[in-house]
Amino acid sequence: MTLVMKVAIITDVHGNASALNAVLNEIDQMDEISHIYCLGDMVGIGPDTNEVLELLFSRDDLSMLTGNHDEAVLAIIKGEPHPDGHIHVREHHEWIAKRMHPNFITKLEELPRTIEHIIHDHSVYLTHYHMESNNMAEHISKNPFSKIVEPSLHNLEKLFKDQHHELIGFGHHHPTHHFKNDRTIFLNPGSLGCTVEPMAPYAIVTIEKTGIQIDLEKVSYDNSSFLLSYKSLQVPERDYIIQAFHGGQKV
């Protein structure tokens, strides 16, 4: 292992292939990035389900874990219970499920919910959202996903109180989180695919013996075709989605 390891962390792509392409293209210009971690919710909200999954699964330098939207869509495809906590988006999930290419179903099923590494003696824990250890194997319909809390060190210390790592990376809550106490860095680079402007966030993590450094990045991209596709594809709840998850951007 090299003395310095640099990885990229992305999360909550939410079916936005334009944003994902922009971030991957920028990362690919950085020769020193050895791996990319995607922390769940690859699908849902945005309509580019197959384009996003093809981009992610085609890479051999990228690891993924599942998020609540990924698992809820899979439950519909497999005829399993859809989570009660997502009842308000069931129609949307059904629309995503119908459009997902069958080749991706097994691949999504095989993804873990957490990733843990020891890198240069530093403990790294990656997940989509906090889960109690006794719920880790539960079906999404029985596994209560963590409540979204306001970004603060205090709230994150409470949320992840049973996890003792030097870096905890997560997603789920779309704003960026970057907090640190005397032991742990809490990092959520922010939703790559759901932003109020055509800027896609991600993070570069540098790990070496002396510590861990976080660099928060953003890349601009043209999201006009992506936003127009909500109407052309007749995405369910499209007006609400554009207002709530894309800041009501106009094209």
Side-chain angles (χ1 to χ4, degrees), residues 25 27 33 49 58 105 124 169 205 228 233:
N25 288 339
I27 290 172
I33 303 299
T49 302
S58 66
I105 296 172
V124 175
V205 180
L228 285 169
L233 295 172

Side-chain angles (χ1 to χ4, degrees), residues 198-219:
M199 299 286 290
Y202 67 101
I204 300 297
V205 180
T206 304
I207 306 173
E208 51 191 324
K209 281 284 188 179
T210 55
I212 300 173
Q213 176 184 321
I214 308 296
D215 291 296
L216 298 172
E217 307 287 351
K218 285 185 178 181
V219 56

Side-chain angles (χ1 to χ4, degrees), residues 159-174:
L159 186 64
F160 289 101
K161 63 183 182 299
D162 56 343
Q163 298 294 339
H164 306 288
H165 304 275
E166 288 160 271
L167 173 64
I168 296 178
F170 60 100
H172 191 51
H173 193 184
H174 291 178

Side-chain angles (χ1 to χ4, degrees), residues 91-173:
E91 180 186 0
H92 180 77
H93 282 166
E94 289 173 341
W95 186 87
I96 296 291
K98 288 176 182 176
R99 293 173 59 86
M100 185 185 292
H101 194 286
N103 287 352
F104 297 123
I105 296 172
T106 300
K107 292 181 179 181
L108 282 174
E109 285 181 297
E110 293 174 346
L111 294 179
R113 282 177 165 169
T114 63
I115 296 172
E116 295 186 47
H117 288 309
I118 301 294
I119 303 174
H120 293 314
D121 297 327
H122 300 295
S123 175
V124 175
Y125 178 82
L126 305 174
T127 187
H128 183 64
Y129 55 84
H130 175 263
M131 284 178 281
E132 299 293 337
S133 58
N134 58 343
N135 289 332
M136 197 65 73
E138 290 282 4
H139 188 272
I140 183 64
S141 62
K142 297 180 180 180
N143 195 328
F145 55 90
S146 61
K147 293 180 180 179
I148 290 176
V149 297
E150 287 302 309
S152 74
L153 178 59
H154 174 71
N155 285 339
L156 292 171
E157 287 174 332
K158 288 178 61 179
L159 186 64
F160 289 101
K161 63 183 182 299
D162 56 343
Q163 298 294 339
H164 306 288
H165 304 275
E166 288 160 271
L167 173 64
I168 296 178
F170 60 100
H172 191 51
H173 193 184

